[in-house]
Amino acid sequence: MERNDLITIASIEKHEEWLIDIKENLEPQPECCIYKVPKDLRKIKEDAYTPQVISIGPLHHGKEELSDMEKQKIRLKREFIKRITKKTWQELITFIEMQEQYIRNCYEEMPKFKKLEFVRMILYDAIFIIELFLRCYRGERDYLLNDVWFSAIRLDLQLLENQLPYFILSEIYKLAFPNPTLRGQNYPSFFFLSYIFLSDFMFSGVPNEVEVKHFVDLRRYVLTNTYPVPCTVESFRVLPCALKLQESGVKFNGIIQGQGLLHIKFEMKNRRIPWLQVHKELQIPQLQVYDDTESLIRNVMALEQCHYPLETHVCNYIDLMDNLINTEEDVNLLVEDGIITNNVGDNAKIAKMFNEFGQQINGSPSCYRDIIRDLKAHYENPWNHAMATLKRVYFSNYWRGTGTIAAILFSPFRD
């Protein structure tokens, strides 16, 4: 308080801001691409965003439950330096030191690390990833490439909070192995190594090499690189579920990926009896659901919410699928039609997964606008329901259909 009990600006600032370091920049830098998952999103499925066996980068560094893998980082570091010269080893350290501030700027939040500790952490994490990728590519035997460890590490490397900036990995790899064939060994691009290590059913063919922010961004790129041009926003709230759409004559067809997981089409198929065959076909690329599928998709969605708020293409895909799936019966239908392959147990688990995907998620303009509009129009047309019922009751198979037609044709002669 000042004299005469007057409150001044200085007294207010001194009281409220003395704990804040005014030199600290509280706003993310332009380079920022690695985020803490928003609390409201994280609490829905915390395990999906939390590394289980290995920490990469600063956000989970030093956690006791992940400390065992630090020994493996040292082991792989010792193996890695056998591939390079002492001079190159020093060049890698110097490169990270020169890029220190830029690397720090890539993180939305940065725990306080002293320079030496920070450089060492980035170096050992980067070397671990590169050495592991090389061993996987060459088919070399390694303890960490056994099925159990491989799956766990591979998933942890694709969590949004557990990333190194991709440029650091790529540049260190180039400095260490400047020639594709160094000392008689084959060293493909780091982008190709990344693709080989991370590739799964969501990856459709080897994509062209592009600049990505990190491994989560790489997965998003693979999923969205054939995504059609977005249109205006369309509400999903009144879109009927899969079972209701089927009752109106919509046929579901799971297609083998050719253009990517998000490439959905709704079109009329040529039929022998056009006036009778009223259904259209909703073509959806097959989604294979494994134990790690939910976590992989959730982290891509979290990245879109934080870094691509106007291009939430994966979120739009999940939003559409979520509206098709209300219950286990909807999943049963999509499994039967080859749209979903269930590798996690009962279909109720998949229904629950999709129903929870959309919580705390905001969408952006979606390219599925026309599909949604056409699905709604088809469902709301009473003729489609009537003809679908006719087909289901009287033309469900060849002999019943033949008998129905015969009955119609010969019924006048009964009199």
Side-chain angles (χ1 to χ4, degrees):
M1 298 290 291
E2 302 290 323
R3 289 182 182 179
N4 302 321
D5 296 325
L6 292 177
I7 299 177
T8 65
I9 294 175
S11 63
I12 287 288
E13 291 178 343
K14 182 178 180 180
H15 179 71
E16 293 294 336
E17 300 180 16
W18 67 274
L19 287 176
I20 299 178
D21 181 0
I22 60 174
K23 296 181 181 180
E24 181 181 3
N25 194 330
L26 301 179
E27 187 175 345
Q29 298 300 299
E31 301 87 356
C32 179
C33 60
I34 301 171
Y35 303 84
K36 291 282 289 185
V37 176
K39 292 182 180 179
D40 289 343
L41 192 57
R42 169 178 273 279
K43 69 182 181 182
I44 297 171
K45 193 83 172 181
E46 185 152 356
D47 287 350
Y49 308 103
T50 306
Q52 302 300 309
V53 297
I54 186 172
S55 71
I56 297 294
L59 300 183
H60 292 273
H61 182 76
K63 289 189 174 181
E64 184 177 354
E65 61 270 26
L66 305 175
S67 60
D68 288 347
M69 196 57 65
E70 296 303 308
K71 299 176 183 178
Q72 297 297 329
K73 292 179 183 179
I74 295 173
R75 179 178 69 85
L76 288 194
K77 184 268 297 185
R78 291 172 178 171
E79 295 298 320
F80 177 83
I81 61 178
K82 295 177 183 178
R83 302 179 187 272
I84 60 176
T85 65
K86 188 174 181 179
K87 178 183 177 182
T88 300
W89 181 239
Q90 181 59 55
E91 289 175 352
L92 301 185
I93 297 172
T94 302
F95 172 74
I96 294 177
E97 183 180 6
M98 297 297 293
Q99 297 292 327
E100 178 192 359
Q101 189 55 55
Y102 192 95
I103 298 171
R104 289 178 181 269
N105 291 346
C106 290
Y107 293 87
E108 180 186 30
E109 295 183 16
M110 174 55 65
K112 292 185 178 180
F113 290 94
K114 292 182 179 180
K115 184 183 186 70
L116 177 60
E117 182 184 9
F118 183 81
V119 170
R120 179 193 179 280
M121 173 189 65
I122 298 298
L123 177 66
Y124 277 50
D125 286 356
I127 295 308
F128 173 86
I129 292 172
I130 293 172
E131 179 66 20
L132 190 65
F133 282 18
L134 278 172
R135 287 171 175 256
C136 178
Y137 167 71
R138 292 178 175 172
E140 298 177 7
R141 297 182 61 183
D142 192 280
Y143 170 71
L144 298 179
L145 295 177
N146 293 336
D147 289 342
V148 175
W149 281 110
F150 174 78
S151 298
I153 293 172
R154 184 173 171 277
L155 179 57
D156 279 357
L157 292 183
Q158 298 180 83
L159 306 183
L160 181 57
E161 296 179 354
N162 213 35
Q163 296 299 308
L164 290 183
Y166 194 87
F167 86 92
I168 284 293
L169 293 163
S170 181
E171 289 303 316
I172 288 178
Y173 182 80
K174 289 178 183 178
L175 287 172
F177 314 112
N179 300 317
T181 55
L182 185 65
R183 292 191 292 275
Q185 295 289 333
N186 181 30
Y187 291 97
S189 70
F190 185 72
F191 188 91
F192 184 76
L193 286 182
S194 303
Y195 183 88
I196 293 299
F197 191 88
L198 303 175
S199 181
D200 58 21
F201 73 92
M202 296 185 195
F203 286 54
S204 180
V206 180
N208 295 327
E209 295 198 13
V210 295
E211 293 185 7
V212 294
K213 307 297 184 182
H214 41 67
F215 292 143
V216 182
D217 195 42
L218 172 59
R219 178 167 290 273
R220 179 182 181 273
Y221 167 71
V222 169
L223 288 173
T224 63
N225 67 339
T226 60
Y227 189 77
V229 178
C231 304
T232 56
V233 176
E234 179 78 7
S235 171
F236 288 89
R237 298 183 185 279
V238 294
L239 183 65
C241 67
L243 278 176
K244 290 183 177 180
L245 288 173
Q246 185 191 49
E247 291 172 357
S248 70
V250 173
K251 178 178 175 58
F252 292 85
N253 182 19
I255 58 178
I256 302 300
Q257 290 187 45
Q259 295 180 302
L261 187 64
L262 309 191
H263 208 83
I264 298 174
K265 294 181 179 180
F266 182 49
E267 57 187 26
M268 176 70 78
K269 305 299 289 185
N270 293 327
R271 302 298 180 187
R272 294 180 179 178
I273 312 178
W275 66 269
L276 183 61
Q277 195 73 355
V278 297
H279 69 245
K280 289 186 176 181
E281 187 170 274
L282 184 59
Q283 300 175 2
I284 303 178
Q286 186 179 82
L287 172 66
Q288 300 182 38
V289 180
Y290 293 91
D291 290 334
D292 59 357
T293 301
E294 179 174 6
S295 183
L296 293 172
I297 291 177
R298 279 190 173 277
N299 279 271
V300 173
M301 294 173 70
L303 172 64
E304 289 191 336
Q305 295 295 294
C306 296
H307 197 74
Y308 300 104
L310 300 180
E311 301 175 11
T312 57
H313 303 329
V314 176
C315 292
N316 292 333
Y317 163 80
I318 292 297
D319 201 2
L320 177 59
M321 293 295 292
D322 178 28
N323 279 265
L324 291 177
I325 298 173
N326 283 345
T327 66
E328 181 180 359
E329 285 70 28
D330 294 309
V331 179
N332 293 341
L333 169 61
L334 297 181
V335 169
E336 289 173 2
D337 290 335
I339 293 171
I340 293 177
T341 301
N342 184 354
N343 299 287
V344 297
D346 62 78
N347 289 339
K349 186 175 181 179
I350 294 180
K352 183 176 184 293
M353 177 182 75
F354 274 100
N355 294 159
E356 292 179 346
F357 265 143
Q359 297 178 25
Q360 302 298 329
I361 293 294
N362 298 314
S364 66
S366 169
C367 82
Y368 299 125
R369 179 196 65 174
D370 293 343
I371 292 177
I372 298 165
R373 180 197 61 205
D374 292 346
L375 283 170
K376 290 178 182 177
H378 183 94
Y379 181 78
E380 292 169 358
N381 188 333
W383 172 259
N384 291 330
H385 287 267
M387 295 304 294
T389 300
L390 177 64
K391 176 181 180 297
R392 185 168 58 251
V393 174
Y394 296 105
F395 294 88
S396 58
N397 60 58
Y398 175 81
W399 294 109
R400 178 174 291 183
T402 302
T404 301
I405 294 175
I408 294 173
L409 293 176
F410 292 103
S411 59
F413 298 99
R414 293 179 179 176
D415 297 334

